[in-house]
Amino acid sequence: MSRFRKPEKVDSLAGFRTEETEPTVPYGLLKAARKSGQLNLSGRGLTEVPQNVYRLNVDTPEEADKNVSFGASERWWEQTDLTKLLLSSNLLTQLSDDITLLPGLTTLDLHDNQLSSLPGALGELQELQQLRVSHNQLTTLPVEVCSLQNLRSLTVQQNQLESLPEELGQLKNLTELDLSNNHLKGLPSGLGRLTCLQKLNLSDNKLSSLPDSLAQLTNVKMLDCSKNQLTDIPASLSGMLALEQLYLRHNKLRLFPQLPAPALKELYVGNNQIEHLEAEQLACLAAISLLELRDNKIKSLPEQITLLSTLTRLDLTNNDITILPASLSLLPNLKVLLLEGNPLRGIRRDLLTKGTNELLKYLRGRIKEEPERAGEGHTAMTLPSQASVNVHSIKTLKSLVYRLVEFHSSLSDVNLGFNKLTCCSPDVCKLLQLTHIDLRNNQLSDLPPDMKSLTKLRSIILNYNRFKSIPEVLYQISSLETVLLGNNQVGAVDPGLLMKLVNLSTLDLSNNDLLNVPPELGLCSSLRCLSLEGNPFRSPRAAIVAKGTDAVMEYLRSRIPT
């Protein structure tokens, strides 16, 4: 046997390992890049950028050295300079100063590598318009990057930045800046000089305040400050005259921001500590279409909510509202009203599960003199001027799919409730921007596995269907915050799988077939509203269930075996 072991110590490939010291790129790719000006080396496992890439514009092509006859279309001295270099999803730890040998670059994509720094030499790439360095390990941005006068898009999300250079304000032509998922505690005042900026993402940082200089960003349409430590929003932000979308979710706001931004259409202030809504705060939202106030501590709505005449979606999930003003029903454009998880009095729970139309009809009935509403008639389908679709009275999605998929890049809200659907078409899974889907009152018993591709989905309504368990695919959609499965036939719940849904705050399992409630369900710490009434289990007792979610969760935790 020993004679067979000996060869194991011999490296039979020893003479062929030169490639590891000098990574190369297939010659055909380089030849094509000389013609097109574009070179895609993404996902090739590169630990460094090969020299023949840096020298693409400098070195004479191999076939010219070999005196190979060029056709008229292949004369190497007429080849184009490299303008687009894609190096994403590799193992790069550094970028050489030799990058300056590619002065014609307009796009440089380095995202998803292992870069801990960028060379100052990047500042010499004066033609650069797009620089993507997200998903790396950067702790600083070199000040030289701030001299790139033609830069339009700078994406630096998912790094380890703790501060930004004051000179950032020199990027006068920047229209998109993504700084999300870093460790920023403050912002340079120079940020206000980025007057061409249209999209600014500051989410997932450690910001406790916003600089007044943001008010100078009069062209910004989308500002995302979610998941920070903001305690208030400066009134100066009302100077952002073009602002259409403002995300302030998951902060520490105690007051509703008073922002007379004239173009503001979508305001997200969920997951804060807001207790009061004042009439004057609402009055300035002249163009608001979507208002998200979920997971706060709001106790009441002012009668002046009727001032929001353009409002189409109002999310009040998980607050402390006990009474709804009947005037809410006078909002002429309100299509979606979400109230799950509020201690409402005087409104039967089954009324809430019937949807917005029935609830608004009930509220109108409480107004003595019901005002006439123009255009009350129901249309079969409204295509997404507000990126939402509302569809009723259909038996199959097939006739719809071709129309829905037309809007796959913008559609965020689909209502397919109150139909006779027996299955949900996999084509719905192509609507990658979907955040809300309403499938209540159908005949569904399962959901397509491809629904896991809906990575932005935040709420799904499945009340009044035929589900016998929580659909498996939901456990793979970590963005979910609301899952409503009331009035089905769900017979069991798995706490271990539910814990994967780290953002889940509302779970409705009322009126199902649960024979027991596992104590470990009490460990699902993100849950703020758990509805279990109307199930045949004996423990917890009805008296505990009636006390609400906190009491149920505390009881369940106390029953976990130690």
Side-chain angles (χ1 to χ4, degrees):
M1 292 293 289
S2 60
R3 73 174 186 270
F4 292 108
R5 290 194 190 111
K6 193 173 182 181
E8 289 178 13
K9 298 179 181 178
V10 176
D11 187 351
S12 59
L13 298 176
F16 300 91
R17 296 198 180 276
T18 53
E19 289 184 20
E20 289 189 9
T21 57
E22 177 60 42
T24 57
V25 174
Y27 173 70
L29 271 182
L30 295 179
K31 183 178 178 181
R34 285 194 175 94
K35 288 183 180 179
S36 67
Q38 302 184 10
L39 179 57
N40 186 348
L41 299 176
S42 299
R44 288 182 167 267
L46 298 175
T47 55
E48 60 184 71
V49 181
Q51 272 300 310
N52 56 356
V53 171
Y54 288 131
R55 302 187 62 83
L56 188 67
N57 296 346
V58 180
D59 289 347
T60 308
E62 196 175 299
E63 61 264 49
D65 288 339
K66 292 178 180 176
N67 294 318
V68 175
S69 175
F70 276 82
S73 64
E74 291 189 327
R75 288 181 296 195
W76 66 265
W77 56 87
E78 291 181 359
Q79 305 295 296
T80 184
D81 279 351
L82 198 64
T83 59
K84 191 172 187 177
L85 177 57
L86 309 181
L87 292 161
S88 62
S89 302
N90 281 294
L91 304 168
L92 303 178
T93 55
Q94 62 178 0
L95 193 67
S96 163
D97 284 354
D98 288 339
I99 193 71
T100 57
L101 296 174
L102 299 169
L105 284 181
T106 59
T107 297
L108 177 58
D109 188 348
L110 295 159
H111 87 265
D112 189 22
N113 276 285
Q114 298 172 15
L115 299 168
S116 56
S117 63
L118 294 173
L122 278 179
E124 295 184 36
L125 303 181
Q126 283 299 308
E127 299 300 314
L128 207 58
Q129 295 178 19
Q130 279 195 324
L131 177 58
R132 305 174 192 150
V133 288
S134 62
H135 295 79
N136 278 285
Q137 297 162 22
L138 303 175
T139 53
T140 57
L141 272 183
V143 70
E144 289 85 353
V145 168
C146 304
S147 67
L148 298 172
Q149 290 302 299
N150 285 303
L151 202 63
R152 304 280 192 278
S153 173
L154 176 59
T155 50
V156 205
Q157 68 269 32
Q158 288 279 0
N159 277 283
Q160 298 168 26
L161 298 179
E162 295 186 1
S163 61
L164 298 168
E166 181 65 37
E167 291 83 354
L168 199 66
Q170 295 172 10
L171 297 172
K172 292 289 172 58
N173 287 302
L174 206 62
T175 59
E176 178 188 12
L177 176 59
D178 193 337
L179 296 163
S180 59
N181 286 91
N182 278 285
H183 305 315
L184 298 172
K185 293 181 179 178
L187 299 170
S189 58
L191 206 61
R193 300 205 302 274
L194 303 176
T195 52
C196 287
L197 209 58
Q198 294 181 19
K199 292 177 69 174
L200 175 58
N201 194 338
L202 300 167
S203 64
D204 274 283
N205 277 286
K206 298 179 179 178
L207 301 172
S208 55
S209 63
L210 297 175
D212 285 333
S213 61
L214 287 187
Q216 300 164 36
L217 302 177
T218 53
N219 286 304
V220 166
K221 294 181 179 179
M222 192 284 289
L223 173 61
D224 192 344
C225 299
S226 301
K227 296 186 179 179
N228 276 284
Q229 297 168 19
L230 301 174
T231 53
D232 66 350
I233 302 302
S236 58
L237 252 60
S238 58
M240 301 179 75
L241 300 178
L243 193 62
E244 294 181 359
Q245 295 174 301
L246 176 57
Y247 296 82
L248 298 169
R249 313 172 79 224
H250 292 276
N251 275 286
K252 297 179 178 179
L253 302 177
R254 293 189 175 276
L255 298 174
F256 185 82
Q258 189 163 346
L259 292 176
L264 194 63
K265 294 177 182 174
E266 299 181 11
L267 177 57
Y268 300 83
V269 285
N271 299 86
N272 279 283
Q273 298 161 26
I274 298 168
E275 295 184 9
H276 302 288
L277 286 180
E278 305 294 343
E280 58 269 21
Q281 294 167 334
L282 298 176
C284 60
L285 299 175
I288 200 77
S289 171
L290 186 157
L291 180 55
E292 188 213 64
L293 293 160
R294 62 173 297 137
D295 293 286
N296 276 286
K297 299 176 180 178
I298 297 165
K299 294 180 172 59
S300 63
L301 296 178
E303 290 284 342
Q304 292 83 351
I305 193 91
T306 53
L307 295 171
L308 306 183
S309 60
T310 52
L311 194 64
T312 62
R313 184 184 186 91
L314 177 59
D315 189 348
L316 294 163
T317 306
N318 295 349
N319 275 282
D320 299 328
I321 298 168
T322 54
I323 298 173
L324 282 182
S327 58
L328 198 60
S329 65
L330 302 180
L331 288 170
N333 293 298
L334 191 62
K335 300 288 189 299
V336 180
L337 174 61
L338 301 175
L339 291 161
E340 197 71 28
N342 282 281
L344 291 167
R345 296 178 195 148
I347 296 180
R348 299 190 318 277
R349 180 169 177 79
D350 66 309
L351 186 61
L352 294 178
T353 62
K354 288 181 179 176
T356 301
N357 285 341
E358 288 298 311
L359 182 56
L360 293 179
K361 188 190 295 184
Y362 165 77
L363 291 174
R364 280 197 298 275
R366 285 176 22 190
I367 298 175
K368 290 180 182 177
E369 216 172 317
E370 185 174 332
E372 291 182 13
R373 294 178 68 193
E376 179 103 51
H378 204 78
T379 54
M381 180 168 184
T382 50
L383 289 178
S385 56
Q386 298 296 332
S388 65
V389 169
N390 197 329
V391 189
H392 293 291
S393 304
I394 55 171
K395 295 183 181 179
T396 171
L397 275 179
K398 286 180 182 175
S399 60
L400 247 185
V401 162
Y402 78 98
R403 299 193 70 182
L404 288 181
V405 174
E406 281 181 40
F407 299 97
H408 73 276
S409 62
S410 62
L411 201 60
S412 64
D413 197 330
V414 170
N415 185 342
L416 294 164
F418 300 91
N419 288 292
K420 298 177 182 177
L421 299 175
T422 55
C423 67
C424 181
S425 167
D427 289 281
V428 168
C429 308
K430 296 175 182 176
L431 306 174
L432 300 182
Q433 300 303 313
L434 211 57
T435 56
H436 307 282
I437 186 166
D438 189 341
L439 291 161
R440 79 181 83 188
N441 291 72
N442 279 289
Q443 298 167 20
L444 301 172
S445 57
D446 203 3
L447 295 176
D450 287 348
M451 199 174 261
K452 66 184 179 184
S453 62
L454 302 180
T455 56
K456 296 186 178 181
L457 193 66
R458 287 174 17 214
S459 75
I460 184 165
I461 302 179
L462 300 168
N463 296 339
Y464 292 97
N465 276 284
R466 297 176 180 176
F467 291 97
K468 294 188 175 178
S469 62
I470 298 177
E472 288 287 325
V473 69
L474 296 188
Y475 298 123
Q476 300 178 58
I477 308 176
S478 60
S479 56
L480 276 172
E481 298 173 354
T482 297
V483 174
L484 305 187
L485 265 163
N487 293 277
N488 278 276
Q489 301 156 32
V490 176
V493 56
D494 187 332
L497 290 173
L498 275 177
M499 283 185 208
K500 292 182 178 180
L501 300 178
V502 294
N503 293 305
L504 188 66
S505 61
T506 304
L507 176 61
D508 180 4
L509 290 169
S510 60
N511 301 315
N512 275 281
D513 297 338
L514 294 174
L515 290 171
N516 64 72
V517 182
E520 291 77 12
L521 193 59
L523 298 176
C524 294
S525 55
S526 63
L527 279 178
R528 286 192 54 181
C529 175
L530 173 64
S531 301
L532 294 171
E533 63 271 18
N535 281 280
F537 57 76
R538 293 185 178 181
S539 173
R541 299 187 317 278
I544 292 174
V545 173
K547 288 181 180 177
T549 301
D550 289 344
V552 171
M553 298 292 274
E554 186 178 341
Y555 169 82
L556 291 174
R557 285 193 295 271
S558 73
R559 306 285 291 181
I560 296 174
T562 53

